[in-house]
Amino acid sequence: MFKNKKIKSLSVRICAGLLMSGVSLAAKATTLTMSNWVPPTHFVTTDILQVWADKVDVATDGRVKVRMLPKPIGSPAQHWELARKGVVDITWGNFTYEPDRFKVMWFAEMPFNGESAEATSVALWDTYQKYFKDNAAFSGVQVLGVGSLGPGVINHSSKDIVSLC
């Protein structure tokens, strides 16, 4: 459907910042399709994904464009498979949406893991590269990046965590 014949298997997924890709680009312009499951006004769209897409365009001198679909074509938990199966070229997601698949990443969800989101994200990328890039959980995609939330971020499925008591 959205496959570009010049792309072998490009997929992108950001875990709380995870990006994947596996691409063979020719010299002429290529447009990659991204499915994004948060609204167009969400900071992930405006401050992360669109900024990244614009940087891809600049870095490739316009040879590679990223076209974000106007709405998602699946639920957040489905985006890994949308990328792996080549339904879209690029997507992103969160490891916690598929906890059984990504057991190797559970440690990254612990609160108070470091002093900044940048430091923990760099450490997570280094850990992924050294220990997990050949793990079966990641087969079928090329991971371009991973990320982590900053220190003190605690998420709960049904209530806000606003105090220690």
Side-chain angles (χ1 to χ4, degrees):
M1 174 189 229
F2 295 106
K3 288 185 182 180
N4 183 320
K5 292 182 170 94
K6 293 184 170 67
I7 300 171
K8 279 186 162 178
S9 165
L10 179 78
S11 323
V12 174
R13 178 175 167 92
I14 301 174
C15 146
L18 168 72
L19 286 174
M20 294 116 353
S21 171
V23 67
S24 172
L25 298 174
K28 67 180 191 175
T30 298
T31 300
L32 305 174
T33 302
M34 177 190 285
S35 181
N36 171 26
W37 47 269
V38 296
T41 56
H42 192 280
F43 79 90
V44 169
T45 302
T46 59
D47 298 345
I48 299 171
L49 298 177
Q50 191 57 58
V51 170
W52 177 80
D54 293 343
K55 287 183 178 188
V56 167
D57 184 41
V58 170
T60 63
D61 295 323
R63 291 185 311 275
V64 179
K65 307 274 187 201
V66 177
R67 179 179 67 95
M68 199 173 316
L69 296 174
K71 62 182 184 174
I73 59 172
S75 71
Q78 293 172 323
H79 272 66
W80 183 270
E81 285 300 307
L82 292 171
R84 192 182 67 75
K85 292 179 178 177
V87 176
V88 292
D89 300 313
I90 305 168
T91 186
W92 73 280
N94 189 310
F95 293 128
T96 58
Y97 294 144
E98 292 189 76
D100 289 336
R101 178 183 290 199
F102 298 110
K103 287 180 182 179
V104 298
M105 300 303 277
W106 283 4
F107 72 93
E109 296 296 323
M110 299 298 292
F112 312 114
N113 266 348
E115 297 186 18
S116 73
E118 182 178 353
T120 56
S121 295
V122 169
L124 184 57
W125 177 249
D126 291 345
T127 302
Y128 167 80
Q129 286 292 312
K130 186 171 183 176
Y131 299 105
F132 303 137
K133 70 179 179 179
D134 295 325
N135 186 288
F138 302 100
S139 66
V141 300
Q142 176 64 47
V143 176
L144 297 176
V146 296
S148 179
L149 300 173
V153 177
I154 301 174
N155 295 299
H156 191 282
S157 63
S158 62
K159 66 180 181 176
D160 291 338
I161 307 292
V162 295
S163 72
L164 296 175
C165 303

